[in-house]
């Protein structure tokens, strides 16, 4: 049939053509054709439209060129390469940009300058970022050369007298005369490069200095090609013009030194600087890239003023600190509480650290650089140590303040102050030792703008230890400062919360809180945070020097005041709780007595007999999800009725269904408007509620599908051959966590459309495994190993003087026969595996499905286009897995729909879904229900598709998309919501089991298992799943950071994988037994370890360790052990170590040493008393030097000393004439090696101890398997729960107090009088006396109650102390810790009771007088008691 009224338009977009076909629909009579899914031909009245096939060109995705890597344009110096590389000046401005390689970029511009002088044919270059001049210069010139260096102009040669070019360079005549003997002419290249404000040509040293930069971002390059010009007798001169610089900034002439660091750095070696008002002259003795650096400095007047302020402040602080230390020493012997309280000890420790810091500051500043280098190193190390101690103790003060004010209760820690002391004094010592081992301490100078020294002291080496200064001082301070600031903020919140709660009781509470915070801020060192503001100007520098030097002149009373305020609030809460508890206990006994009955033995036996006769039947899990189980009383009105628009839509759907049944009578009825849970018919498109869930995990299709699969339970269709007659809302499905395949698809499609996917619900036919969620024939995705990319090793080029390999003397015939035999064995194995696979396939396919092709199923279709989906695919909602549209599990499609329209498939499904074309705009293949809908996706242009962007996803969170194309009724379903608890639980009842082919996957919700297990994969050898091969277990929220446990049941090998954060920095632990000295492999996070250990392999007789990043360049250590003399014990390495027989150590190459002196391998043969050394091989040699020492004891049997002889040291020197060492070198080297042998043996012993410690720790962790709980998890976090309950209790107590305040205190006594009788004066006096007497008795009873509790706590403490004295010898450390914890808590309760009793004694008379005054002023008694006033 021909095409009528067809118009073809060609639109060019990005060089490609798209063909848009607009057709009109034709009704015509045609011969009978087969319908897509029906078994028989359709009616003659068939809807047919001609189709013009269109072939879409595949989009070619060009990979990112990444020119800033410096590889693409490495040897390309044309205009495009220069401009392309110049873009990196701005792109590399961001720190940490992985697409930038500064070393390659800087090397590119250096090579370009050589290219200009050697190969370039152009004489000038003029670009926005680059100007250059190339000129041939005769080596026999008679005068100096001058060239202009104006940045916006191309350099040109000028005369000496021209002053219109303030930026210029002078090249001396001697530079070219020195080259006359080699060549008559040279090519000179002068370049001016604008490097921008990025990181290119900035260098590591400049990036570490705040405020430093390259002046005007201009770099001047001078080059003669490959001619290396250095050590000029007469230096060249470069003049830079600039504006007047601030007084605290200095200029320095530098050149780019490619030998510094890995990628080069600025250096001032060989250059001098001459300062002027508006210009600076640089004189250098070589040619390369030059620049003028702008750096901040302090002048001498400022330095002296700051030094005097610091000395005066430190002197004042030392006086107060000394007074504090002496006062504590006196009070420790005079007052008992100073011996046991930890707060004064912490204050004194901070005072001692600050006193010693100030003393070290005086010594360091006063001596300057006097003395030897060792003395200067020691002063710098001591000053650094006490500075870190002061920072540490400030952080510990903040930690102690947190325990006192924020946590308050349950804060007992055994040996608390001892542990704090280990941290306060030990941690800085470790840092100083590590820093000192790198030789980081030395002279440090502060210079002014004239580069003259204004202050010298012993500190970090100015040139070599800048990174150590930033890490160990600035970084360490930043950590302690942030922690102290956070704690101080919490304390401020607590104090002002208390102030607002007691606003009517005390005046000036806010001022008192402000003063308290000021004292606490000085105590925890928040004043040091002013250092962050010092770049703002000199004023902040003066403020910082003043406040930090006077830090400890404030008293720690503010901390004590804050603590007492919190304790007072806690005590009042306990009193109110006890009062309410006593009132409940007084009312409860009478009710309990009435309900209590005594059960005799006969009654119990009779009850047991009756219970045993009852038959308990466990009901089976319902296989259907009916509406009878749904509570529809609380459903909204949209669930129970239809709007006029919905009724109109249902009429349109019925009309469409009648036409479809008439045209295709052999097709099954369409699934258009099933009833919902309220028996109301709803159109399927309105059942979809597009919603973007507020969880980042549900933004991608894979995690979204997996959530739906895990969250819901599968309910099979009532009739596997028909679609269901009902379709419930997604809210109901989520509430009851069950549904059929249509419910699954509707929920998943709603979530995917909300996430901006082009998703559709599909009604079609699937295989039996797909409909029943039978995965026993599918391979578990977790068992599929990713393909490993085999990297081809690059063969090293053969050396010119390499040793020839030995001649191969094996028989070539025998080799060929062996190859044939191996190939035959391999072919036989492949044939056997193929037969086994075919047998399994036949066994699996033996069960045929009689309903194949007829089973109804629903799934989700995701079309390509949106969300960067490259190809359309299916999603099975039961399993959450994606399938290709060509998959054999999907046998046909009847229809599909989304929230906007409904489409009927008009294509033939004889080949399943493999030949279907999912172009929904093609009305021949897909008949749509509603007219005027949006354009088909495959026909949209890029300009028209701009409205499909997802920029407003966050703003439209949970909102329904607006349909602008057709007046479609809004979805009748309520907002889809998933609570955080349900999202975390995922699986119904927290557990789900999936059976795969030879595998079983079990999933649990977090925190459901007490060991943190969330997933377990068990693989089996057979299809019946009876023989276990291996088990993989995934964990979450473990305190020991265990993430995965892999158990191989065949080999018995266990592999534990840990996340970063394990106490021993453990990453992987492979073992067959937890017993010591067995085969095991431990891998560590080397960055978390001080020794740089990466891996440790252990066998019963050996131990191998691999290192990286050590200062001594040790890379490998292998220890051989001999047979143990004594019997093996659990702590054998400590009490009975294994004898060491041999230690082999290997080292990385040390570039600072010659290869013949840099040891590559060191072997200690302990039993043979020999030490073997092998040195690194030089690049130009084929063998390495070796040396062997034979050492004996220091004396013979007669006591005579043994003289070192040449035969005790056997050497092989590659170049014996280059290194002639004296004989004295050998005994010194031998003694040094003996000491290193002892150290290696000790380190091997420590490694054994560490293995035992790790094994013991792992056993404790496996026994405890404690879980971490987030502080935001208020339902699981006990602390948060206690806080919430405390707040509820306070609210309840306040309510009771308000009710009690409204009570009439005379009501109980007035009730005793006859009603209606007027009071007499005698009765009024008696009422007053009885009320006061009753109140007095209540005060006495309360005092007696507190006294009784006080005596009871005291007696129990005395009993515990007596028990401890009797059993002190036999107690374990755990019992001692329990005893100390009990004593601490008991003493705390006793102190609280004592305070309450004293407070009651003080307030009781006042309360009595207050009540008496109220009685005299009571309006009912005031007239009768006037005589007694």
């Amino acid at each position: 049939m021909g095409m009528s009224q067809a118009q073809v338009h060609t639109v060019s977009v990005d060089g490609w053509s798209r063909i848009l076909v607009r057709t009109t629909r034709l009704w015509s009579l045609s011969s009978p054709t087969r319908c897509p899914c029906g078994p028989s031909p359709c009616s003659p009245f068939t809807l047919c439209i001609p189709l013009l096939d269109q072939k879409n060109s595949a989009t070619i995705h060009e990979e990112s060129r990444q020119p800033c890597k410096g590889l693409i344009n490495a040897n390309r110096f044309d205009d495009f390469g220069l401009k392309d590389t110049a873009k990196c000046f701005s792109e590399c401005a961001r720190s940490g940009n992985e697409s930038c390689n500064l070393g390659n970029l800087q090397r590119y511009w250096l090579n370009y300058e050589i290219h200009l002088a050697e190969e370039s044919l152009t004489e000038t270059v003029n670009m926005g970022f680059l100007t250059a001049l190339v000129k041939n210069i005769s080596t026999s010139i008679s005068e100096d050369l001058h060239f202009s260096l104006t940045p916006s102009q191309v350099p040109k040669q000028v005369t000496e007298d021209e002053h219109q070019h303030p930026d210029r360079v002078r090249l001396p005549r001697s530079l070219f005369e020195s080259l006359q003997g080699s060549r008559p002419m040279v090519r000179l290249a002068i370049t001016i490069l604008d490097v921008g404000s990025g990181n290119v040509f900035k260098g590591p040293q400049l990036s570490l200095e705040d405020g430093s930069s390259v002046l005007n971002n201009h770099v001047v390059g001078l080059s003669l090609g490959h001619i290396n010009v250095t050590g000029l007798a007469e230096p060249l001169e470069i003049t830079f013009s600039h504006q007047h610089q601030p007084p605290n900034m200095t200029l320095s002439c530098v050149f780019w030194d490619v030998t510094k660091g890995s990628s080069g750095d600025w250096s001032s070696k060989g250059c001098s600087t001459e300062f002027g008002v508006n210009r600076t002259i640089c004189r250098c003795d070589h040619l390369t890239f030059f620049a003028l650096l702008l750096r901040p400095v302090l002048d001498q007047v400022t330095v002296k003023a700051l030094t005097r302020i610091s000395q005066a402040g430190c002197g004042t602080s030392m006086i107060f600190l000394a007074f504090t230390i002496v006062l504590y020493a006196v009070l420790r012997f005079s007052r008992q509480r100073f011996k046991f309280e930890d707060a004064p000890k912490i204050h004194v420790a901070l005072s001692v650290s600050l006193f010693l810091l100030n003393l070290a500051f005086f010594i360091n500043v006063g001596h300057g650089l006097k003395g030897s280098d060792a003395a200067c190193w020691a002063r710098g190390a001591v000053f650094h140590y006490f500075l870190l101690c002061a920072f540490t103790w400030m952080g510990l003060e903040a930690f102690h303040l947190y325990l006192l004010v924020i946590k308050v209760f349950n804060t007992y820690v055994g040996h608390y102050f001892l542990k704090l002391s280990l941290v306060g004094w030990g941690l800085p010592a470790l840092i100083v030792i590590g820093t000192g081992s790198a030789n980081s301490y030395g002279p440090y100078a502060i210079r002014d703008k004239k580069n003259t020294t204004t202050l010298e002291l012993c500190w970090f080496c100015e040139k070599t230890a800048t990174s150590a200064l930033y890490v160990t001082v600035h970084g360490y301070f930043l950590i302690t400062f942030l922690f102290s600031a956070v704690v101080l903020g919490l304390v401020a919140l607590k104090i002002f919360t208390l102030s607002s709660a007691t606003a009517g009781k005390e005046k000036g509470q806010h001022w008192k809180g402000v003063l308290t915070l000021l004292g606490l801020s000085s105590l925890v060192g928040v004043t040091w945070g002013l250092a962050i503001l010092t770049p703002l100007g000199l004023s902040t520098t003066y403020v910082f020097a003043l406040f930090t030097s006077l830090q400890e002149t404030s008293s720690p009373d503010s901390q004590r005041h804050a603590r007492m305020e919190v304790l007072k609030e806690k005590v009042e809460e306990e009193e109110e709780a006890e009062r309410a508890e006593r009132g409940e206990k007084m009312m409860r006994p009478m009710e309990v007595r009435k309900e209590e009955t005594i059960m005799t033995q006969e009654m119990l036996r009779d009850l047991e007999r009756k219970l045993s006769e009852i038959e308990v039947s466990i009901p089976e899990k319902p296989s259907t999800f009916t509406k009878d189980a749904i509570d529809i009383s609380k459903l909204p009105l949209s669930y129970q009725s239809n709007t006029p628009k919905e009724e109109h839509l249902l009429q349109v759907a019925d009309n469409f269904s009648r036409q479809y049944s008439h045209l295709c009578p052999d097709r099954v009825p369409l699934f258009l408007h099933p009833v919902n849970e309220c028996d109301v018919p709803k159109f399927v498109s309105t059942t979809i509620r597009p919603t973007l869930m507020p969880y980042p995990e549900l933004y991608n299709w894979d995690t979204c599908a997996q959530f739906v699969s895990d969250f819901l339970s599968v309910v099979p269709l009532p009739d596997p051959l028909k679609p269901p007659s009902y379709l419930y809302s997604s809210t109901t499905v989520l509430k009851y966590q069950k549904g059929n395949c249509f419910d699954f698809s509707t929920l998943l499609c709603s979530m995917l459309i909300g996430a901006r996917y082009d998703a559709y619900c599909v009604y079609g036919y699937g295989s039996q495994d797909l409909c029943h969620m039978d995965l026993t024939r599918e391979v578990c995705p977790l068992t599929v190993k990713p393909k490993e990319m085999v990297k081809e090793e690059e063969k090293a080029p053969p050396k010119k003087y390499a040793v020839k390999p030995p001649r191969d003397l094996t028989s070539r015939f025998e080799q060929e026969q062996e190859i044939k035999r191996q190939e035959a064995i391999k072919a036989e194995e492949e044939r056997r595996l193929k037969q086994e696979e075919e047998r399994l396939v036949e066994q699996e396919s033996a069960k045929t499905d009689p309903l194949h092709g007829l089973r109804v199923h629903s799934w989700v279709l995701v079309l390509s286009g949106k969300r960067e989906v490259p190809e359309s695919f299916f999603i099975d909602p039961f399993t959450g897995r994606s399938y290709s549209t060509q998959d054999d599990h999907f046998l046909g499609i009847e229809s599909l729909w989304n929230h906007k329209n409904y489409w009927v498939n008009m294509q033939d499904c004889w080949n399943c879904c493999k030949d279907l074309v999912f172009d929904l705009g093609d009305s021949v293949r897909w008949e749509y229900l509603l007219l005027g809908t949006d354009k088909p996706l495959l026909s949209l242009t890029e300009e028209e598709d701009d409205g499909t962007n997802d920029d407003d996803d966050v703003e439209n969170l949970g909102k329904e998309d607006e349909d602008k194309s057709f007046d479609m009724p809004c979805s009748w379903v309520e907002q889809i919501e998933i609570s955080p608890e349900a999202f975390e639980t995922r699986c119904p009842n927290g557990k789900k089991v999936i059976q795969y082919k030879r595998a079983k996957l079990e999933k649990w919700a977090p925190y459901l298992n007490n060991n943190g297990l969330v997933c377990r994969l068990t693989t089996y050898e057979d299809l019946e799943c009876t023989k276990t091969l291996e088990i993989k277990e995934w964990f979450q929220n473990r305190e020991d950071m265990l993430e995965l446990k892999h158990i191989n049941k065949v080999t018995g090998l266990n592999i534990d994988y840990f996340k970063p954060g394990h106490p021993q920095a453990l990453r992987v632990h492979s073992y067959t037994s937890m017993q010591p000295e067995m085969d095991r492999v431990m891998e560590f996070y080397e960055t978390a370890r001080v020794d740089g250990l990466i891996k440790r392999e252990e066998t019963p007789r050996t131990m191998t360790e691999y290192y990286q990043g050590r200062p001594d360049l040790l890379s490998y250590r292998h220890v051989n052990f001999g047979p143990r003399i004594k019997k093996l014990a659990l702590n054998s390495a400590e009490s009975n170590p294994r004898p060491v027989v041999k230690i082999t150590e290997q080292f990385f190459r040390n570039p600072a040493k010659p290869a013949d002196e840099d040891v590559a391998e060191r072997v200690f043969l302990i039993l043979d008393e020999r030490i073997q050394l092998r040195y690194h091989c030089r690049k130009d040699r084929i063998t390495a030097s070796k040396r062997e020492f034979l050492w004996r004891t220091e004396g013979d049997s007669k006591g005579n000393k043994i003289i070192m002889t040449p035969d005790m040291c056997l050497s092989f020197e590659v170049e014996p004439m280059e290194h002639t060492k004296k004989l004295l070198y050998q005994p010194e080297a031998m003694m040094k090696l003996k000491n290193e042998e002892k150290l290696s043996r000790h380190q091997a012993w420590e490694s054994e101890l560490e293995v035992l410690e790790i094994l013991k720790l792992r056993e404790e962790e496996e026994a405890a398997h404690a879980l971490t709980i987030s502080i935001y998890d208020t339902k699981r976090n006990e602390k948060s729960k206690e806080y919430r309950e405390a707040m509820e209790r306070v609210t309840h107590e306040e309510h009771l107090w308000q009710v009690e305040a409204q009570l009439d205190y005379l009501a109980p006594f007035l009730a005793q009088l006859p009603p209606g009788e007027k009071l007499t004066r005698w009765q009024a006096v008696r009422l007053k006396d009885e009320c006061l007497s009753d109140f007095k008795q209540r005060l006495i009873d309360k005092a007696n109650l507190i006294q009784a509790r006080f005596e009871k706590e005291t007696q129990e403490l005395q009993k515990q102390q007596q028990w401890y004295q009797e059993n002190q010898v036999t107690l374990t450390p755990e019992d001692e810790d329990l005893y100390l914890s009990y004593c601490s808590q008991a003493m705390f309760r006793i102190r609280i009771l004592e305070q309450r009793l004293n407070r009651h004694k003080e307030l009781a008379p006042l309360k009595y007088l207050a009540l008496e005054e109220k009685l005299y002023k009571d309006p009912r008694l005031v007239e009768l008691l006037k005589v007694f006033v």
Side-chain angles (χ1 to χ4, degrees), residues 263-514:
S263 59
D265 198 356
W266 293 111
S267 175
S268 59
K269 184 179 180 181
C271 293
S272 61
T273 307
E274 179 181 343
F275 299 99
V277 178
N278 293 323
R279 68 172 186 174
T280 300
I281 300 176
C282 300
R283 294 182 176 89
C284 298
D285 60 354
H286 50 274
L287 298 184
T288 181
F289 272 71
F290 300 91
L292 198 59
L293 296 188
L294 187 65
R295 292 175 172 173
V297 295
L298 291 176
D299 56 359
Q300 191 169 4
V301 177
T302 305
V303 171
K304 288 183 178 180
L306 291 173
T307 304
R308 290 173 182 173
I309 293 175
S310 300
Q311 289 176 343
C314 291
T316 307
S317 294
M318 289 179 67
I319 296 174
F320 282 95
L321 292 169
F323 176 77
T324 303
I325 297 170
V326 173
L327 181 62
Y328 173 78
V330 174
L331 294 177
R332 181 176 174 84
F333 295 97
S334 61
R335 294 192 179 183
Q336 191 72 15
R337 74 181 187 89
F338 280 85
K339 292 183 179 180
F340 301 100
E341 288 190 0
D342 294 323
K345 299 178 183 178
I346 299 174
H347 297 330
V348 171
L350 176 59
S351 301
V352 171
S353 63
L354 288 172
F355 182 86
L356 295 176
L357 173 61
N358 293 332
L359 182 62
F361 173 77
F362 273 110
I363 296 174
N364 204 352
V365 174
H367 285 72
L369 299 181
K370 298 178 182 179
S372 61
D373 294 341
C376 185
W377 186 95
R379 288 200 299 272
V382 170
F383 185 61
H384 185 208
Y385 173 73
F386 288 126
L387 180 63
L388 294 182
C389 288
F391 289 159
T392 307
W393 279 109
M394 292 174 195
L396 295 178
E397 281 279 4
F399 174 74
H400 187 66
L401 183 65
Y402 169 80
L403 296 181
L404 292 181
V405 180
I406 306 302
K407 193 173 183 183
V408 181
F409 297 110
N410 299 326
T411 58
Y412 173 77
V413 179
H415 307 291
Y416 178 64
F417 183 73
L418 177 60
K419 294 178 180 178
L420 292 184
S421 299
L422 290 177
V423 176
W425 303 109
L427 181 60
L430 295 177
I431 297 176
V432 171
I433 291 173
T435 309
S437 62
N439 198 18
S440 300
Y441 302 114
Y444 184 85
I446 299 177
R447 296 178 176 86
D448 58 3
K449 61 182 181 179
K450 296 182 180 180
N451 205 21
T452 59
T453 302
T454 58
L455 179 64
E456 291 181 334
L457 70 160
C458 295
W459 187 225
F460 285 79
C461 288
E462 184 179 5
K463 299 180 179 180
T464 60
T466 307
S467 58
L469 173 64
Y470 275 81
V471 173
T472 62
V473 178
H474 297 179
Y476 194 88
F477 159 73
L478 185 61
I479 294 173
T480 56
F481 171 75
L482 291 177
F483 175 74
S484 302
V486 170
V487 173
L488 190 63
L490 296 176
V491 173
L493 180 63
K494 192 73 175 179
I495 290 177
F496 288 108
T497 303
L498 292 177
S499 301
S500 61
T502 60
K505 300 179 182 179
E506 297 182 18
K507 297 182 178 180
Q509 192 77 12
H510 290 284
W511 284 107
K512 194 180 296 182
V514 171

Side-chain angles (χ1 to χ4, degrees), residues 934-961:
D934 55 351
K935 293 183 180 181
L937 182 65
L938 298 184
S939 301
L940 286 177
T941 63
E942 292 184 357
E943 291 80 2
E944 293 171 334
D945 197 36
D946 290 341
T948 62
N949 55 11
D950 49 2
D951 295 338
D952 300 332
D953 284 349
V954 179
E955 298 179 0
N956 297 332
L957 180 65
K959 296 182 180 179
E960 182 181 2
D961 292 345

Side-chain angles (χ1 to χ4, degrees), residues 788-794:
E788 297 182 356
M789 300 297 295
V790 181
K791 296 183 178 180
E792 297 182 359
E793 297 182 357
E794 297 182 359

Side-chain angles (χ1 to χ4, degrees), residues 113 115-118 120-125 132-136 154-155 187-191:
E113 190 180 39
H115 167 76
L116 285 177
E118 295 288 339
S120 177
L121 300 178
T122 60
E123 295 182 357
T124 60
V125 177
L133 171 67
V134 182
K135 189 175 183 61
N136 294 324
V154 177
R187 283 175 63 86
L188 172 65
I190 304 176
T191 59

Side-chain angles (χ1 to χ4, degrees), residues 1262-1282:
E1262 289 296 333
H1265 46 70
L1267 303 180
T1268 58
I1269 300 176
S1270 173
I1271 59 175
Y1272 303 104
D1273 193 349
T1274 57
K1275 293 195 174 181
R1276 294 190 182 93
N1277 196 304
E1278 293 296 332
K1279 298 177 183 177
S1280 301
K1281 185 177 180 181
E1282 291 176 0

